[in-house]
Amino acid sequence: MKKTIDLAIIGGGIAGVSAAIYAKRAGLNFCLFEPKAIGGQLLLMETVDNYTGISLGTKAINLATQLEDTIKELQIEVIPEEISKFEISGKQINLTTSENSFVVNAAIITTGASFKKLGASREEELTGRGVSYCAICDGFFFKNKTVAVVGGGNSAVEEALYLSNICSKVYLIHRRKELRAIEYLQKELLRKSNVEIIFDTVIEELKGADCLTGAGIKNTITGVSGTLSLNGLFVAIGVNPNTQAFKDAISLDESGFITTDEEMKTNHNFVWAAGDCRKRPLRQLVTASSEGAISAVSAYKYLKGGYISA
């Protein structure tokens, strides 16, 4: 027998938790679906220095724990099951997990995105210990140090430009002979005296015991290998939105991100999306949190026909 709920919040990162807090405050009948642990990308970060209202250098795991504590204090029901099927039938949604089926009147999708990995040896162990996937998040920790950015697109060049104002030396490593970034970004990068571009090169291994100390690199044309001494490595080869379960029901852009309006509404007026699974210009904790709140208010307006007071 299928279980019936008014609202499903799918994903337990900061966007999902924010949506859940607002949904709870509004008195909605809802559940939060999270098959792993509350916190999302926080679980892959070392510290947080750019989230409003918390101390500089706050451990990311501590913030994730606070989110989980808030969920418990508010007695929000968390269903530890992954959504395998998301089907829309008329004005209802049929959700299927490995264990249960649900009939839902509205849904907020907050499943986030996953950074594309290099696949280099020791990448997992050194993530948060010198290896990062976000310069805006972690660049501050490498002030006046030597770092490298991997990638050749707009994101990689923008990360290198950002880091060039913080770090003493920035290498941009790209596997091809020319960058894919738009021309004005490349010109701006070439004006930076502390940036060195290394073309036709891949990273074969990462070095360091407790933290990153360098990278083994190889020229794809000559086959010559070498080592770069590094304090930090920023991987900027893209992200994959976690939207596979929704692709047949929700409008996605060419990269698989969910498209919404400013109220976080998708192409269905009873489905919203927030956070990194959504097409957005800035992927940060603070924007994910605000989008979660907006989506919950939108869901309340749809389900109850009113507004949540300030």
Side-chain angles (χ1 to χ4, degrees):
M1 182 177 177
K2 292 184 177 181
K3 301 178 182 179
T4 301
I5 54 177
D6 279 343
L7 175 66
I9 299 174
I10 306 171
I14 201 159
V17 172
S18 177
I21 292 170
Y22 274 75
K24 182 70 175 183
R25 186 168 178 238
L28 295 179
N29 168 32
F30 74 98
C31 294
L32 176 64
F33 290 82
E34 175 49 65
K36 298 178 181 177
I38 298 296
Q41 290 289 353
L42 282 170
L43 302 173
L44 301 176
M45 298 164 61
E46 182 69 13
T47 56
V48 178
D49 249 6
N50 56 355
Y51 189 73
T52 308
I54 65 173
S55 301
L56 297 179
T58 295
K59 293 290 185 181
I61 189 63
N62 292 344
L63 181 54
T65 300
Q66 289 175 16
L67 296 181
E68 186 173 14
D69 289 345
T70 300
I71 291 292
K72 291 177 181 177
E73 289 171 12
L74 292 175
Q75 298 181 330
I76 291 170
E77 182 181 0
V78 178
I79 298 177
E81 300 169 18
E82 185 170 5
I83 303 298
S84 58
K85 190 175 292 186
F86 183 98
E87 297 176 316
I88 292 177
S89 178
K91 291 188 176 182
Q92 288 187 319
I93 304 163
N94 294 314
L95 297 183
T96 304
T97 71
S98 59
E99 301 177 35
N100 293 290
S101 295
F102 302 84
V103 176
V104 181
N105 294 321
I108 299 173
I109 302 170
T110 59
T111 48
S114 302
F115 294 110
K116 292 181 180 179
K117 305 295 181 67
L118 283 175
S121 64
R122 309 207 61 245
E123 184 174 2
E124 294 293 332
E125 301 100 290
L126 294 172
T127 295
R129 293 175 170 82
V131 176
S132 173
Y133 301 87
C134 177
I136 294 177
C137 305
D138 299 328
F140 176 81
F141 304 111
F142 299 92
K143 186 176 182 180
N144 298 325
K145 295 184 178 180
T146 299
V147 301
V149 177
V150 183
N154 289 342
S155 295
V157 173
E158 287 173 344
E159 297 251 297
L161 286 168
Y162 179 82
L163 291 166
S164 70
N165 296 318
I166 300 171
C167 305
S168 59
K169 177 72 175 183
V170 179
Y171 295 101
L172 179 61
I173 302 170
H174 186 42
R175 61 180 178 172
R176 296 189 175 92
K177 63 181 178 180
E178 57 185 24
L179 301 176
R180 293 178 288 106
I182 55 180
E183 187 177 356
Y184 89 86
L185 285 176
Q186 294 192 44
K187 287 181 177 179
E188 189 174 348
L189 190 71
L190 291 173
R191 286 196 289 266
K192 296 287 186 176
S193 61
N194 62 335
V195 175
E196 180 180 341
I197 305 174
I198 305 176
F199 290 109
D200 299 319
T201 298
V202 294
I203 291 181
E204 291 191 309
E205 62 175 331
L206 301 179
K207 300 178 182 294
D210 297 326
C211 62
L212 181 77
T213 58
I217 60 175
K218 181 179 179 179
N219 186 287
T220 58
I221 304 299
T222 65
V224 175
S225 297
T227 300
L228 281 180
S229 294
L230 299 171
N231 302 113
L233 178 71
F234 292 83
V235 181
I237 56 177
V239 295
N240 292 316
N242 301 323
T243 57
Q244 186 65 21
F246 315 105
K247 64 183 178 65
D248 295 325
I250 303 297
S251 290
L252 310 177
D253 72 2
E254 64 279 2
S255 299
F257 292 94
I258 300 171
T259 55
T260 76
D261 63 14
E262 63 181 10
E263 293 187 341
M264 308 301 129
K265 185 175 68 178
T266 68
N267 57 310
H268 298 280
N269 67 349
F270 47 88
V271 182
W272 302 265
D276 286 358
C277 64
R278 172 183 174 265
K279 183 178 182 181
R280 56 210 291 253
L282 182 63
R283 296 187 179 94
Q284 292 287 285
L285 295 175
V286 68
T287 51
S289 180
S290 66
E291 290 171 11
I294 292 169
S295 64
V297 172
S298 297
Y300 178 81
K301 288 161 61 178
Y302 171 80
L303 292 166
K304 302 295 184 180
Y307 293 85
I308 301 175
S309 61

